[in-house]
Amino acid sequence: MHMSTTGRAIVVGAGVAGLTAGYRLREYGYSVTVLEQAPHLGGRMGTVSQGGFRHDLGALWMGGSYQAAVRLLEELGLNSAAIKTSNIFGIYRDGETHRFNSTELDKDLAVTELLSPEAKLRAGALLQDVGAASKHLVADDFSAAQAWDTESARSYALRRLDEELHDYLVEPIVSGMSFTSSDKVSAAMLLFLTKIFVGAMAFNFETGLVALPERLAQDLHVETNARVERVQEDTDRVHVRWRDQTGAERTEQAEVCVVAVQAPLVPGLLPHLTQAQQEYLSTVTYARDVFVHFGVDEPPAEPAWFVLVPQCEHPDLNYVSFDHHRAPGRAPEGKGLMRVGFRNKWCADRWQLDDAGVAANALSTLRAVFPDLADHIEDHQEMAFVGRNEHALLQRGPGDATRLRHFQDGLDPHSRIQLAGDFLSWSVIDAALATGESAARSAHRAVTERQP
Ligand SMILES: Cc1cc2nc3c(=O)[nH]c(=O)nc-3n(C[C@H](O)[C@H](O)[C@H](O)COP(=O)(O)OP(=O)(O)OC[C@H]3O[C@@H](n4cnc5c(N)ncnc54)[C@H](O)[C@@H]3O)c2cc1C
């Protein structure tokens, strides 16, 4: 603990980035208020419970490869609550699901019937490239991956691997973990996602992934239904204007402020940013996500926790997650919970549709690939829950690492207002929380370097 200051800090956004920043600022000695516009904390790491089923609203999975997160969990004493969970995932091809253990992928790839013998021989090149790029694929600095950011994952796969590996390995990995197609994201993203997934033991929390945000928030003052409208700095204060749940305008002052909201929402809050900075933030692209959870009174036979559907097999269905295998506590004893996830266009086309319409569409799309599973859901359904994330996962296309580096170089490291959020790195929990730690450090430094 560094309790050296007694000032006030405000954090905008109670996602994992904002709450990690708040947690660190409290350690520096600030009294911290976190303002969150949603009625619950956690952002894309939130969890809600309904009728005995537990729904993670965004993230599903944390990996042993998450260095910053694993360190933080230990520090918080939360590692004892982290449960090792299933590592079995599947990839669908021609009417069959081929299963792998992500911690024994080398072995499983050698014997799988998903790929032809020729494709298997070429698959080693991907793992070799991940090894070569590894030290530049770091959670807290996406811009370090510039060397692999020059072509799309698709063109990389066709050049370095082959079409079959693209269709049945690269495309499903990219789409399953970024919700968009391999021509829209860079090779750097493919290498990073492969790095964090392959060999990594999966872990989770019985009470939902929100366990981490909740623990970070434990000693902070978190105000929900609090929408921040403006954050401005003068020589010795930051002024924050926000509206409470009645719509009444409120203003607060603080020594420092960390703004941890999704990139396109930042310009509206920070008028002091340059036009180029505002333009950059407004054009950071996220996939939209609409998913459906089906709760059933009997789990289906599938043993994997996650099954990816390649785009060449179906244009819309992206994955099915069997959440009752993913972690304990997601479904009541003896019952099952499945998440059905879709590619970006399906989600965008149904953004305005009501929940009942989305659930009906989801079931008919699922039926096109997994008719038995759709029948099982129809016969055993207890509930359907629809989740939506407008800014779900970042679409890191070729050249984005360079653009991000340029944006970051233009930010003022001495400002009392600092930014955090996954948009400053990769779209994973580990990166988001690392940006929160670094924003808290910079904001605190900005104050201490002004002290006589
Ligand atoms: C469907 C989905 C699946 C995912 N799966 C995984 C996974 O399995 N593993 C993994 O590691 N990562 C996964 N991710 C990514 C991971 O969830 C995110 O990278 C991470 O949670 C982002 O955290 P954040 O704090 O940067 O942003 P957010 O969680 O989005 O937090 C930003 C917060 O700011 C609030 N806010 C916005 N504007 C204002 C305002 N004006 N005033 C006050 N508050 C405001 C928002 O309501 C939000 O709570 C997934 C994401 C999604 C959507």
Side-chain angles (χ1 to χ4, degrees), residues 12-18 35-38 40-45 57-62 66 179 196 209 226-229 260-262 265 269 289 291 305 319 339 389 391-393 420-423 426-430 432 435:
V12 185
V16 70
L35 300 172
E36 166 57 53
Q37 71 177 3
H40 54 79
L41 57 74
R44 282 171 280 160
M45 212 178 160
L57 301 174
L60 300 174
W61 175 91
M62 292 176 80
Y66 285 15
F179 303 168
I196 60 167
L209 276 171
R227 186 166 56 82
V228 174
E229 293 182 337
V261 305
Q262 303 91 325
L265 307 179
L269 303 184
D289 175 40
F291 65 84
W305 83 265
Y319 65 86
R339 177 188 288 206
N389 289 291
H391 302 103
L393 289 169
D422 63 351
F423 69 90
W426 308 91
S427 223
V428 292
I429 293 162
D430 203 37
T435 68

Side-chain angles (χ1 to χ4, degrees), residues 174-209:
V174 166
S175 184
M177 293 168 82
S178 74
F179 303 168
T180 201
S181 54
S182 57
D183 57 338
K184 300 263 182 352
V185 301
S186 68
M189 182 111 168
L190 166 69
L191 299 182
F192 178 76
L193 294 175
T194 310
K195 177 184 167 178
I196 60 167
F197 191 62
V198 172
M201 169 275 292
F203 65 91
N204 222 298
F205 301 99
E206 184 158 359
T207 54
L209 276 171

Side-chain angles (χ1 to χ4, degrees), residues 9-321:
I10 294 179
V11 174
V12 185
V16 70
L19 290 169
T20 305
Y23 175 79
R24 291 291 179 219
L25 286 165
R26 186 170 180 280
E27 278 193 329
Y28 291 131
Y30 297 88
S31 145
V32 180
T33 298
V34 184
L35 300 172
E36 166 57 53
Q37 71 177 3
H40 54 79
L41 57 74
R44 282 171 280 160
M45 212 178 160
T47 307
V48 298
S49 295
Q50 255 179 36
F53 293 92
R54 197 167 271 137
H55 309 286
D56 287 315
L57 301 174
L60 300 174
W61 175 91
M62 292 176 80
S65 54
Y66 285 15
Q67 293 181 4
V70 168
R71 255 194 325 269
L72 185 61
L73 293 181
E74 276 170 19
E75 199 182 315
L76 294 165
L78 202 57
N79 46 341
S80 54
I83 306 161
K84 285 189 192 168
T85 58
S86 171
N87 293 304
I88 310 296
F89 73 99
I91 300 180
Y92 174 88
R93 180 171 188 171
D94 296 335
E96 208 180 318
T97 299
H98 301 267
R99 296 177 189 88
F100 302 86
N101 184 328
S102 62
T103 61
E104 294 176 0
L105 206 57
D106 282 5
K107 206 174 93 211
D108 289 354
L109 269 177
V111 296
T112 184
E113 290 179 6
L114 172 74
L115 300 168
S116 67
E118 299 74 37
K120 283 186 205 176
L121 282 177
R122 292 201 191 92
L126 173 61
L127 299 179
Q128 257 173 30
D129 290 350
V130 171
S134 187
K135 70 174 193 294
H136 302 285
L137 303 170
V138 287
D140 59 350
D141 188 7
F142 163 64
S143 66
Q146 282 178 88
W148 289 271
D149 192 41
T150 51
E151 62 182 330
S152 71
R154 179 181 162 79
S155 76
Y156 160 85
L158 297 181
R159 177 179 61 74
R160 184 84 172 111
L161 309 172
D162 68 10
E163 196 169 346
E164 185 185 357
L165 280 165
H166 169 265
D167 289 354
Y168 287 99
L169 197 63
V170 167
E171 194 283 329
I173 290 178
V174 166
S175 184
M177 293 168 82
S178 74
F179 303 168
T180 201
S181 54
S182 57
D183 57 338
K184 300 263 182 352
V185 301
S186 68
M189 182 111 168
L190 166 69
L191 299 182
F192 178 76
L193 294 175
T194 310
K195 177 184 167 178
I196 60 167
F197 191 62
V198 172
M201 169 275 292
F203 65 91
N204 222 298
F205 301 99
E206 184 158 359
T207 54
L209 276 171
V210 79
L212 174 57
E214 278 176 348
R215 175 64 187 81
L216 288 165
Q218 195 172 283
D219 298 316
L220 311 177
H221 174 65
V222 181
E223 193 90 45
T224 51
N225 297 303
R227 186 166 56 82
V228 174
E229 293 182 337
R230 195 49 54 114
V231 180
Q232 276 170 303
E233 177 179 22
D234 60 24
T235 43
D236 57 355
R237 299 294 259 182
V238 179
H239 305 265
V240 179
R241 193 180 83 211
W242 59 284
R243 286 191 190 273
D244 67 20
Q245 59 183 328
T246 68
E249 187 176 300
R250 312 265 294 265
T251 52
E252 319 257 349
Q253 276 85 45
E255 268 61 46
V256 293
C257 179
V258 171
V259 174
V261 305
Q262 303 91 325
L265 307 179
V266 176
L269 303 184
L270 299 181
H272 70 273
L273 293 177
T274 65
Q275 198 177 343
Q277 288 169 333
Q278 303 212 6
E279 269 167 27
Y280 169 77
L281 289 163
S282 319
T283 53
V284 171
T285 313
Y286 297 73
R288 269 188 179 169
D289 175 40
V290 178
F291 65 84
V292 183
H293 281 179
F294 291 106
V296 287
D297 62 15
E298 190 185 304
E302 176 58 53
W305 83 265
F306 198 66
V307 177
L308 297 162
V309 180
Q311 191 164 26
C312 59
E313 294 283 345
H314 195 275
D316 297 321
L317 185 64
N318 192 7
Y319 65 86
V320 183
S321 151

